[in-house]
Amino acid sequence: MIERCKMMDITCFCYDFRISVLEEGTKWERVRKKTRRLMRYKDYYYILNFLSRNNLRFDLVHSNSSIFDIGLFLSHKWNVPHIWHVREFAKEDYGLETIFSKRDIKKQYLKTDTVIAISDAIAKRVLSYSAQIIVRKVYNGIHLTEEYEKVYFKDNFVRFCIVGAIQPQKGQFDVVKACKLLEEKKIVDYQLYIVGDRGSDYYQEILNYISQNKELEEKVFFTGFERDINGFLRNMDIGIMASDFEAFGRVTVEYMANYMPVIGTNSGGTPEVIGDVGVLYTPHDIISLSNHMAQFMENRQSIRKSGILARKRASMFTDEKNAGKIYGIYEDVINKGVI
């Protein structure tokens, strides 16, 4: 972002500050929460004083995550609107525990001019604190690849893939176990590609499982991080979103933009993103997941048909639409005070 601002001759300042969460299981958690609540103000006032000394003035403050409240602090000091862009389930997605009570969070949201939620699931969570909170839903946006002629089933394999950080809440192990069930049913004309940084204990646990089940060694592949994800997805047939509780699922849209039906968990924002161009299963239900994989393999024509529909649905989630809606909220807040 900083490099992009420099290219566009936009003044940009970058400072570290303490966030308003701790990792779950932090030692002396109750004490650490209290000290974090106090110490974060050291950072906040330093940044406030720096900006004030440089006579910088702002029309509004946009906070792009739920895990810090410095934006609310600055907006009140400058008496300008605050927009809080809630983009994640901090605890479910990342194992982060807020330092605030529910009452504190409710007060913070009520003092915010508009909360932007990236999905109905996020909006529901925010409104659970108070029905009086002003919430606008704006889906995340991605830059759609150019339309192209998709070639499916290269080498006669159905290629499944799962993209994301290799960690327990993302569900890669579930997908590998579902592949084991396919092998037991003698359904073998598939490949699974797992995309994401390697090296975690969870990654090693999956490797050990594959080593114990030799038939999977020629079926499951780890690619590591893929810089050109769209180039990679051109060669995949079906995307899997196995997360416990995805707030939105950018990867889900990238699957769909590359003419891929999606097998996703029936949780978080995944169902509303997929709509009717994929299938859903309960998180960790590897039998259901394996059955969905088998059904697609047994009816390959459905992959083509669903893939075309998926590409059309992906057009709902473009970066242009995302930016336009957010800018419209900026205008509404500045011109009207609140929406």
Side-chain angles (χ1 to χ4, degrees), residues 258-309:
N258 283 278
Y259 302 88
M260 299 164 64
V262 181
I263 302 173
T265 49
N266 188 17
S267 64
T270 299
E272 63 187 281
V273 174
I274 292 176
D276 57 359
V277 299
V279 292
L280 300 170
Y281 71 98
T282 302
H284 308 300
D285 183 350
I286 61 172
I287 294 176
S288 179
L289 170 58
S290 180
N291 288 340
H292 285 314
M293 296 170 74
Q295 287 165 8
F296 271 120
M297 293 169 67
E298 291 165 359
N299 184 9
R300 294 191 176 193
Q301 193 58 33
S302 69
I303 299 176
R304 298 178 191 273
K305 292 180 180 179
S306 296
I308 293 172
L309 293 174

Side-chain angles (χ1 to χ4, degrees), residues 323-336:
K325 289 180 179 179
I326 290 175
Y327 193 76
I329 292 173
Y330 287 173
E331 292 182 315
D332 287 342
V333 168
I334 291 172
N335 294 332
K336 301 175 184 177

Side-chain angles (χ1 to χ4, degrees), residues 113-174:
D113 295 85
T114 295
V115 174
I116 297 177
I118 64 171
S119 65
D120 285 332
I122 289 285
K124 183 178 179 181
R125 174 66 62 83
V126 173
L127 289 170
S128 71
Y129 292 101
S130 172
Q132 296 178 322
I133 299 170
I134 299 171
V135 180
R136 293 277 294 273
K137 182 178 72 175
V138 179
Y139 287 126
N140 282 344
I142 71 165
H143 183 71
L144 291 188
T145 60
E146 296 294 326
E147 294 185 5
Y148 63 91
E149 191 68 31
K150 181 86 171 183
V151 178
Y152 294 93
F153 323 129
K154 293 182 179 179
D155 302 322
N156 205 37
F157 286 107
V158 175
R159 287 181 165 85
F160 298 91
C161 72
I162 178 169
V163 178
I166 300 178
Q167 54 193 33
Q169 57 265 44
K170 296 298 183 181
Q172 288 92 348
F173 206 167
D174 287 348

Side-chain angles (χ1 to χ4, degrees), residues 28 52 67 98 224 268-269 281 313 320:
W28 308 108
S52 298
I67 66 171
T98 179
Y281 71 98
R313 184 168 178 80
E320 292 89 352

Side-chain angles (χ1 to χ4, degrees), residues 60-195:
L60 59 81
V61 178
H62 183 152
S63 298
N64 75 330
S65 174
S66 66
I67 66 171
F68 50 77
D69 65 325
I70 186 173
L72 183 64
F73 170 84
L74 292 174
S75 69
H76 282 197
K77 291 296 182 181
W78 294 325
N79 194 29
V80 298
H82 179 237
I83 293 174
W84 208 329
H85 204 154
V86 181
R87 306 166 60 89
E88 66 282 299
F89 294 102
K91 187 169 185 177
E92 293 91 337
D93 288 342
Y94 303 107
L96 299 174
E97 188 77 42
T98 179
I99 64 174
F100 300 115
S101 67
K102 290 184 177 180
R103 180 180 296 181
D104 292 330
I105 296 172
K106 173 183 176 181
K107 289 180 179 178
Q108 290 177 331
Y109 283 147
L110 288 173
K111 291 178 180 177
T112 294
D113 295 85
T114 295
V115 174
I116 297 177
I118 64 171
S119 65
D120 285 332
I122 289 285
K124 183 178 179 181
R125 174 66 62 83
V126 173
L127 289 170
S128 71
Y129 292 101
S130 172
Q132 296 178 322
I133 299 170
I134 299 171
V135 180
R136 293 277 294 273
K137 182 178 72 175
V138 179
Y139 287 126
N140 282 344
I142 71 165
H143 183 71
L144 291 188
T145 60
E146 296 294 326
E147 294 185 5
Y148 63 91
E149 191 68 31
K150 181 86 171 183
V151 178
Y152 294 93
F153 323 129
K154 293 182 179 179
D155 302 322
N156 205 37
F157 286 107
V158 175
R159 287 181 165 85
F160 298 91
C161 72
I162 178 169
V163 178
I166 300 178
Q167 54 193 33
Q169 57 265 44
K170 296 298 183 181
Q172 288 92 348
F173 206 167
D174 287 348
V175 187
V176 174
K177 290 177 180 178
C179 290
K180 169 66 174 174
L181 296 181
L182 293 178
E183 294 291 324
E184 292 174 358
K185 297 175 184 176
K186 308 300 181 184
I187 301 174
V188 297
D189 52 343
Y190 72 92
Q191 293 176 336
L192 171 66
Y193 291 82
I194 300 176
V195 182

Side-chain angles (χ1 to χ4, degrees), residues 243-271:
S243 295
D244 290 346
F245 215 78
E246 199 75 14
F248 172 77
R250 177 189 178 88
V251 168
T252 304
V253 181
E254 289 173 332
Y255 291 153
M256 297 192 301
N258 283 278
Y259 302 88
M260 299 164 64
V262 181
I263 302 173
T265 49
N266 188 17
S267 64
T270 299

Side-chain angles (χ1 to χ4, degrees), residues 1-14 62-65 68 85 87 330:
M1 182 181 290
I2 294 170
E3 290 304 314
R4 175 66 65 170
C5 286
K6 288 179 179 177
M7 289 171 56
M8 300 177 69
D9 197 29
I10 298 172
T11 301
C12 181
F13 299 96
C14 181
H62 183 152
S63 298
N64 75 330
S65 174
F68 50 77
H85 204 154
R87 306 166 60 89
Y330 287 173

